[in-house]
Amino acid sequence: MDLLKTVLCALLSAAALFIIAKLLGHKQISQLDFFDYITGITIGSIAAELATELEKPWKPLAAMVVYGVITIVLSLVTNKFPKSRKFINGTPTIIMNNGKIYRKNLKKAKLDLSEFFLLLRQEGYFNLDEVQTAVFEYNGRLTVLPVSTKRPLNATDMNLTLEPEYISAEVIMDGRILEENLERMGLDAKWLENQVKSQGYKNAKEIFLGLCDRNKKLTLYKSED
């Protein structure tokens, strides 16, 4: 009986954690700020407690819901009142600008020079003379603006006008034709079959992945077993 209760509590814990994580959104995974970090750890700890709580599982479940609601409310508040973001999320801190390192801002960001150099190297900058501006973001990431002589050339520098690029759509996946994607592009299965045969294939079943861009250029990847 106790084993059954343990299994049920573990399933309840996993389900509650999944639902709350979906409600909080992908930010919990990709870009954690200070409060998101605390919330993520706390909810995970409560979920672990819920998985083994046999007597009163509703207590840790209620705590998980409360933390989830608080996070959602704070997210709504920061979206509706931008000024509150400075208090809740913090503000970016300029660590270096125009060849000058700001010692006070380093202390404010709780960084020392070794940590600052480490963050620069992680962004691909090994020499300070390559850096125009370095900003320590509130989520713990370092954003670097290189000096103009060190950044890569772009089309504007070379006075070039380039056509905009678009994401290709999947029209064949694992041998199956995705008719909805074809319809969005104004195409049909007959057009696709003709294109597949023109590239030397019998039918779409031989194709692992087929991509089509806005210029109706079809790129096929053969299925290799």
Side-chain angles (χ1 to χ4, degrees), residues 1 13 15 27 49 59 64 74-75 83 87 91 106 135 141-142 152 157 159 161 165 176 179 183 192 197 204 215:
M1 191 64 179
S13 173
K27 185 181 179 182
E49 182 182 350
K59 288 186 176 181
M64 287 180 65
L74 286 178
S75 177
K83 291 184 178 180
F87 175 74
T91 56
L106 272 174
V135 180
R141 296 287 301 273
L142 187 71
D157 296 328
N159 295 321
T161 302
E165 295 183 358
R176 183 169 53 89
E179 296 185 0
E183 291 178 1
L192 182 60
K197 291 179 180 179
N215 296 321

Side-chain angles (χ1 to χ4, degrees), residues 97-208:
N97 190 41
N98 291 328
K100 182 179 180 181
I101 299 176
Y102 299 104
R103 180 179 295 181
K104 289 183 178 180
N105 288 355
L106 272 174
K107 292 182 178 180
K108 180 181 177 182
K110 304 295 189 298
L111 291 175
D112 57 33
L113 284 175
S114 297
E115 292 170 327
F116 176 53
F117 293 149
L118 170 63
L119 293 174
L120 283 176
R121 291 193 297 271
Q122 288 178 341
E123 295 298 319
Y125 299 93
F126 290 81
N127 297 311
L128 288 179
D129 58 5
E130 298 178 354
V131 178
Q132 172 70 28
T133 304
V135 180
F136 189 67
E137 308 291 353
Y138 62 80
N139 63 355
R141 296 287 301 273
L142 187 71
T143 304
V144 180
L145 175 67
V147 296
S148 58
T149 56
K150 297 295 183 180
R151 64 179 174 82
L153 287 174
N154 55 42
T156 303
D157 296 328
M158 304 177 68
N159 295 321
L160 297 177
T161 302
L162 302 178
E163 293 293 329
E165 295 183 358
Y166 301 94
I167 298 175
S168 298
E170 299 92 350
V171 293
I172 301 176
M173 187 172 291
D174 201 16
R176 183 169 53 89
I177 297 176
L178 305 180
E179 296 185 0
E180 292 184 1
N181 291 352
L182 280 172
E183 291 178 1
R184 292 193 189 101
M185 304 183 70
L187 304 173
D188 55 26
K190 186 175 181 180
W191 174 88
L192 182 60
E193 290 174 1
N194 292 334
Q195 292 294 318
V196 169
K197 291 179 180 179
S198 69
Q199 295 193 31
Y201 300 98
K202 294 181 180 179
N203 51 52
K205 293 182 180 179
E206 298 183 20
I207 309 302
F208 177 66

